[in-house]
Amino acid sequence: MQILSKPAQTTRPVRYGKLILEDGMQFEGISFGAETGRAGEVVFSTGMVGYPEALTDASFAGQIMIMTYPLAGSYGVPTSQSWEDDHIHTSGLIVSNYIDTPSHAQSTMTLSEWLKQENIPALQIKDTRLLTQHIRQHGSLLGKIVFDEDIPFYDPNQENLIAQVSTRQITKIGQGPKTIALIDCGAKQNIVRCLLKRNVEVMTVPWDWDLFSSANDFHFDGILISNGPGNPKFADKTVATVRKALDNKIPTLGICMGNHLLSLAAGGETEKMKFGHRSQNQPCVMRDSQRCYITTQNHGFVVADVPPGFEPWFTNANDGTNEGIIHASQPFMSVQFHPEAAPGPVDTEWVFDYFLEKI
């Protein structure tokens, strides 16, 4: 009888790294990303799927993301057409179980390969439940992923992250009877896709571009303020532009960071949340109704005081925080969640239609 020998199996050496929190707590884990130290704000996301979209969402800039769902990597990484930007914005990734053998028709590479290409560290830490509970109790904490050499902590909320992720040029895409000026504070690409589906011309401008300056040579019918990372109070130039839009009664819609910036421009106030909302299952109740929408969210700040002339449009059913504002008589509105929502529920995409009807 002939005995066939099995091919030799090659296993890569296990490399360990540490997640160190600012309060001294440490977690050791197995590395499956780039073996480089990175620091940032440690936050958690409760979404079951959507890591390609979350990792490329500019709202995660400066943050080390913990995925509470225990499996990550099982469907690999799709082509960049499905991403929210052309590169990863998170500073690091923490998961409980990394799957290195993806199975999906759209997969082009493993999650590990992608993270290494983008020089992003990632650790497999088994007890992500304890880690998440610790953050829920103490609030978002600064942290760092380290290997051989220690690095200092870094607080992304102490600088203007919007200026770092915003476009630096004006771009035009689409055709239609209406032109929307998209103020890019870190805009997700699916916002543009949702507008293009509705036959809208989209002019994307930098966060600090004055739409009402004589240097602006294009016409626009409405303004959309995008999502973005960090502390909204650093985006003073965006707030000034939005204030001019309100004075000129230009129809305006804010999304996520746009909710904060519209509120600040109108005289409201924002504040830091304890640990924020980062998930695909946040329940939001619409005003004057019993209708509750399940929404995708990613933010660490919240509107604390609704500005004069506005009313709360949506309220979070879990903690009662503001999820959007709407003016009593003018076409000004914003939502804290993501109506473009990919991945996640799409039942709030009607917000785009409602806004366009006001133009």
Side-chain angles (χ1 to χ4, degrees):
M1 182 175 64
Q2 184 179 12
I3 299 177
L4 300 177
S5 60
K6 294 182 179 180
Q9 294 182 347
T10 58
T11 58
R12 60 185 180 89
V14 175
R15 185 79 160 89
Y16 289 92
K18 284 185 179 180
L19 172 67
I20 303 175
L21 303 180
E22 62 177 319
D23 62 359
M25 181 169 279
Q26 299 185 20
F27 295 81
E28 187 177 60
I30 299 174
S31 170
F32 65 95
E35 295 174 3
T36 181
R38 294 285 290 273
E41 181 184 26
V42 182
V43 300
F44 62 87
S45 174
T46 60
M48 294 178 65
V49 294
Y51 54 83
E53 293 86 352
L55 292 171
T56 54
D57 180 357
S59 298
F60 274 114
Q63 296 178 334
I64 297 173
M65 181 175 68
I66 306 164
M67 294 188 65
T68 63
Y69 186 69
L71 301 178
S74 59
Y75 57 91
V77 179
T79 61
S80 58
Q81 284 76 17
S82 300
W83 305 352
E84 294 297 352
D85 203 352
D86 59 4
H87 66 282
I88 295 176
H89 283 282
T90 53
S91 295
L93 177 65
I94 306 295
V95 305
S96 178
N97 291 287
Y98 166 62
I99 307 301
D100 200 39
T101 54
S103 178
H104 197 285
Q106 296 179 353
S107 177
T108 62
M109 68 183 96
T110 67
L111 177 56
S112 175
E113 291 170 335
W114 188 31
L115 291 164
K116 290 176 181 178
Q117 285 181 15
E118 304 251 351
N119 200 35
I120 305 297
L123 295 179
Q124 180 178 257
I125 295 174
K126 288 300 180 183
D127 203 351
T128 52
R129 176 175 294 187
L130 174 64
L131 176 55
T132 301
Q133 289 175 336
H134 186 72
I135 294 175
R136 282 181 60 90
Q137 180 180 355
H138 298 281
S140 297
L141 297 167
L142 301 184
K144 53 188 176 181
I145 296 175
V146 298
F147 290 91
D148 298 322
E149 299 181 2
D150 194 15
I151 60 174
F153 289 107
Y154 162 67
D155 187 353
N157 297 306
Q158 298 302 313
E159 61 179 347
N160 190 347
L161 295 182
I162 291 175
Q164 297 178 21
V165 301
S166 176
T167 183
R168 289 173 171 79
Q169 60 187 6
I170 298 175
T171 57
K172 171 185 174 182
I173 187 172
Q175 292 182 336
K178 299 175 183 178
T179 299
I180 300 300
L182 172 61
I183 302 179
D184 180 13
C185 299
K188 294 170 65 177
Q189 286 303 303
N190 214 41
I191 293 176
V192 178
R193 298 182 194 116
C194 286
L195 291 173
L196 294 179
K197 279 197 308 186
R198 289 161 173 80
N199 299 318
V200 172
E201 181 181 67
V202 181
M203 301 291 294
T204 303
V205 302
W207 72 282
D208 55 354
W209 182 263
D210 185 357
L211 289 167
F212 299 92
S213 167
S214 57
N216 183 37
D217 59 356
F218 68 87
H219 166 78
F220 56 92
D221 301 293
I223 296 174
L224 196 156
I225 319 159
S226 83
N227 62 293
N231 190 334
K233 292 182 179 177
F234 281 107
D236 53 344
K237 294 181 180 179
T238 311
V239 170
T241 297
V242 175
R243 191 172 290 128
K244 293 178 183 178
L246 301 182
D247 292 339
N248 287 277
K249 295 181 171 53
I250 305 297
T252 301
L253 169 65
I255 294 177
C256 195
M257 174 61 72
N259 186 42
H260 303 147
L261 299 180
L262 177 62
S263 298
L264 291 173
E269 188 56 75
T270 61
E271 65 183 11
K272 186 81 165 61
M273 301 180 74
K274 184 177 180 179
F275 47 78
H277 295 156
R278 297 172 182 87
S279 64
Q280 298 153 19
N281 58 357
Q282 288 290 329
C284 296
V285 179
M286 189 166 65
R287 67 165 186 166
D288 301 328
S289 78
Q290 295 299 310
R291 183 68 183 268
C292 183
Y293 293 93
I294 303 303
T295 67
T296 296
Q297 301 193 16
N298 178 12
H299 61 99
F301 286 78
V302 69
V303 173
D305 295 317
V306 175
F310 285 79
E311 300 174 355
W313 194 9
F314 296 90
T315 303
N316 191 288
N318 284 337
D319 57 17
T321 55
N322 177 263
E323 292 286 357
I325 61 175
I326 190 166
H327 197 273
S329 59
Q330 299 298 325
F332 314 140
M333 65 202 75
S334 58
V335 291
Q336 190 60 65
F337 50 84
H338 288 274
E340 78 282 355
V346 294
D347 54 343
T348 55
E349 214 175 289
W350 61 264
V351 169
F352 291 105
D353 300 308
Y354 184 81
F355 168 60
L356 294 175
E357 289 172 2
K358 300 297 179 182
I359 300 176

Short mmCIF file of all heavy atoms in Angstrom, two decimals, residues 18 25 38 58 61-62 92 95 105-106 117 135 147 162 172 184 246 252 256 260 297 309 328 341:
data_model
loop_
_atom_site.label_atom_id
_atom_site.label_comp_id
_atom_site.label_asym_id
_atom_site.label_seq_id
_atom_site.Cartn_x
_atom_site.Cartn_y
_atom_site.Cartn_z
N LYS A 18 0.31 44.61 23.16
CA LYS A 18 -0.49 45.01 24.33
C LYS A 18 -1.34 46.23 24.01
O LYS A 18 -0.91 47.14 23.30
CB LYS A 18 0.42 45.34 25.52
CG LYS A 18 1.01 44.15 26.22
CD LYS A 18 1.81 44.59 27.45
CE LYS A 18 2.40 43.40 28.18
NZ LYS A 18 3.18 43.83 29.39
N MET A 25 -4.84 49.90 33.05
CA MET A 25 -5.27 48.55 32.70
C MET A 25 -4.60 48.12 31.39
O MET A 25 -4.49 48.91 30.45
CB MET A 25 -6.79 48.49 32.59
CG MET A 25 -7.33 47.10 32.26
SD MET A 25 -9.12 46.96 32.43
CE MET A 25 -9.26 46.72 34.20
N ARG A 38 0.54 52.41 17.92
CA ARG A 38 -0.37 53.51 17.60
C ARG A 38 -1.17 53.85 18.84
O ARG A 38 -1.54 52.97 19.63
CB ARG A 38 -1.32 53.14 16.46
CG ARG A 38 -0.64 52.91 15.12
CD ARG A 38 -0.21 54.22 14.47
NE ARG A 38 -1.34 55.00 14.02
CZ ARG A 38 -1.92 54.86 12.82
NH1 ARG A 38 -1.48 53.95 11.97
NH2 ARG A 38 -2.93 55.64 12.47
N ALA A 58 -14.24 58.14 8.12
CA ALA A 58 -13.37 59.17 8.70
C ALA A 58 -13.77 59.57 10.10
O ALA A 58 -12.97 60.14 10.84
CB ALA A 58 -13.35 60.40 7.79
N ALA A 61 -11.39 58.50 12.81
CA ALA A 61 -10.01 58.98 12.81
C ALA A 61 -9.54 59.23 14.24
O ALA A 61 -10.24 59.82 15.05
CB ALA A 61 -9.91 60.26 11.99
N GLY A 62 -8.34 58.75 14.54
CA GLY A 62 -7.77 58.95 15.87
C GLY A 62 -8.26 57.99 16.92
O GLY A 62 -7.93 58.15 18.10
N GLY A 92 -6.38 51.79 15.17
CA GLY A 92 -6.13 50.40 15.53
C GLY A 92 -7.43 49.64 15.66
O GLY A 92 -8.51 50.23 15.70
N VAL A 95 -10.32 42.87 18.32
CA VAL A 95 -11.40 41.91 18.14
C VAL A 95 -11.19 40.74 19.09
O VAL A 95 -10.10 40.54 19.63
CB VAL A 95 -11.49 41.40 16.69
CG1 VAL A 95 -11.62 42.55 15.71
CG2 VAL A 95 -10.29 40.53 16.34
N ALA A 105 -17.95 35.91 -2.00
CA ALA A 105 -17.69 36.10 -3.42
C ALA A 105 -17.02 37.43 -3.72
O ALA A 105 -16.27 37.55 -4.71
CB ALA A 105 -19.00 36.00 -4.21
N GLN A 106 -17.23 38.43 -2.87
CA GLN A 106 -16.66 39.76 -3.12
C GLN A 106 -15.33 39.98 -2.42
O GLN A 106 -14.73 41.06 -2.53
CB GLN A 106 -17.65 40.83 -2.68
CG GLN A 106 -18.95 40.83 -3.48
CD GLN A 106 -19.92 41.89 -3.00
OE1 GLN A 106 -19.69 42.56 -1.99
NE2 GLN A 106 -21.03 42.06 -3.71
N GLN A 117 -1.18 46.24 4.86
CA GLN A 117 -0.94 47.15 3.74
C GLN A 117 -1.09 48.61 4.18
O GLN A 117 -0.37 49.49 3.71
CB GLN A 117 -1.93 46.86 2.61
CG GLN A 117 -1.63 45.61 1.81
CD GLN A 117 -2.64 45.40 0.70
OE1 GLN A 117 -3.40 46.29 0.34
NE2 GLN A 117 -2.67 44.19 0.14
N ILE A 135 -14.97 50.26 29.64
CA ILE A 135 -15.17 51.56 29.00
C ILE A 135 -16.57 52.09 29.29
O ILE A 135 -16.75 53.29 29.52
CB ILE A 135 -14.93 51.45 27.48
CG1 ILE A 135 -13.45 51.15 27.22
CG2 ILE A 135 -15.34 52.73 26.75
CD1 ILE A 135 -13.12 50.91 25.77
N PHE A 147 4.21 47.29 20.98
CA PHE A 147 4.90 46.03 20.75
C PHE A 147 6.23 46.06 21.50
O PHE A 147 6.28 45.79 22.69
CB PHE A 147 5.07 45.78 19.26
CG PHE A 147 3.77 45.48 18.56
CD1 PHE A 147 3.01 46.51 18.00
CD2 PHE A 147 3.27 44.20 18.50
CE1 PHE A 147 1.80 46.25 17.38
CE2 PHE A 147 2.06 43.91 17.89
CZ PHE A 147 1.32 44.96 17.33
N ILE A 162 -11.11 67.31 11.72
CA ILE A 162 -11.86 67.57 10.50
C ILE A 162 -10.94 68.13 9.42
O ILE A 162 -11.03 67.75 8.25
CB ILE A 162 -13.03 68.53 10.80
CG1 ILE A 162 -14.08 67.82 11.65
CG2 ILE A 162 -13.66 69.06 9.52
CD1 ILE A 162 -15.22 68.71 12.10
N LYS A 172 -16.81 67.93 -8.61
CA LYS A 172 -18.19 67.93 -9.10
C LYS A 172 -18.50 66.55 -9.65
O LYS A 172 -17.70 65.95 -10.36
CB LYS A 172 -18.36 68.98 -10.20
CG LYS A 172 -19.70 68.92 -10.93
CD LYS A 172 -19.72 69.91 -12.08
CE LYS A 172 -20.98 69.76 -12.92
NZ LYS A 172 -21.00 70.69 -14.08
N ASP A 184 -17.43 68.85 3.15
CA ASP A 184 -16.76 67.61 3.51
C ASP A 184 -16.00 67.77 4.83
O ASP A 184 -14.92 68.34 4.87
CB ASP A 184 -15.80 67.20 2.39
CG ASP A 184 -15.06 65.92 2.70
OD1 ASP A 184 -15.45 65.21 3.65
OD2 ASP A 184 -14.07 65.61 2.00
N LEU A 246 -27.90 79.98 7.09
CA LEU A 246 -29.13 80.22 7.84
C LEU A 246 -29.63 81.64 7.62
O LEU A 246 -30.84 81.86 7.45
CB LEU A 246 -28.90 79.95 9.33
CG LEU A 246 -28.42 78.56 9.74
CD1 LEU A 246 -28.29 78.45 11.25
CD2 LEU A 246 -29.34 77.47 9.21
N THR A 252 -30.73 73.48 4.34
CA THR A 252 -29.51 72.88 4.90
C THR A 252 -29.86 71.60 5.64
O THR A 252 -30.80 71.56 6.43
CB THR A 252 -28.81 73.86 5.86
OG1 THR A 252 -28.49 75.06 5.16
CG2 THR A 252 -27.54 73.24 6.43
N CYS A 256 -24.80 63.65 11.28
CA CYS A 256 -23.83 63.29 12.33
C CYS A 256 -23.07 64.53 12.80
O CYS A 256 -23.62 65.33 13.54
CB CYS A 256 -22.90 62.18 11.83
SG CYS A 256 -21.97 61.38 13.15
N HIS A 260 -24.11 68.56 14.87
CA HIS A 260 -23.41 69.40 15.83
C HIS A 260 -23.14 70.78 15.25
O HIS A 260 -23.36 71.80 15.93
CB HIS A 260 -22.08 68.76 16.22
CG HIS A 260 -22.21 67.39 16.79
ND1 HIS A 260 -21.26 66.39 16.60
CD2 HIS A 260 -23.18 66.81 17.53
CE1 HIS A 260 -21.64 65.30 17.22
NE2 HIS A 260 -22.80 65.52 17.79
N GLN A 297 -25.00 54.54 13.76
CA GLN A 297 -24.42 55.75 14.35
C GLN A 297 -22.93 55.59 14.62
O GLN A 297 -22.43 54.48 14.77
CB GLN A 297 -25.14 56.12 15.65
CG GLN A 297 -26.63 56.36 15.47
CD GLN A 297 -27.27 57.01 16.67
OE1 GLN A 297 -26.60 57.56 17.54
NE2 GLN A 297 -28.59 56.98 16.70
N GLY A 309 -35.47 78.49 17.99
CA GLY A 309 -36.15 78.36 16.72
C GLY A 309 -36.21 76.93 16.20
O GLY A 309 -36.94 76.64 15.25
N ALA A 328 -38.54 75.28 13.08
CA ALA A 328 -40.00 75.35 13.15
C ALA A 328 -40.63 75.84 11.86
O ALA A 328 -41.77 75.46 11.53
CB ALA A 328 -40.42 76.25 14.31
N ALA A 341 -26.47 55.00 5.80
CA ALA A 341 -26.48 53.71 6.49
C ALA A 341 -26.09 52.50 5.68
O ALA A 341 -26.91 51.69 5.32
CB ALA A 341 -27.87 53.47 7.09
#
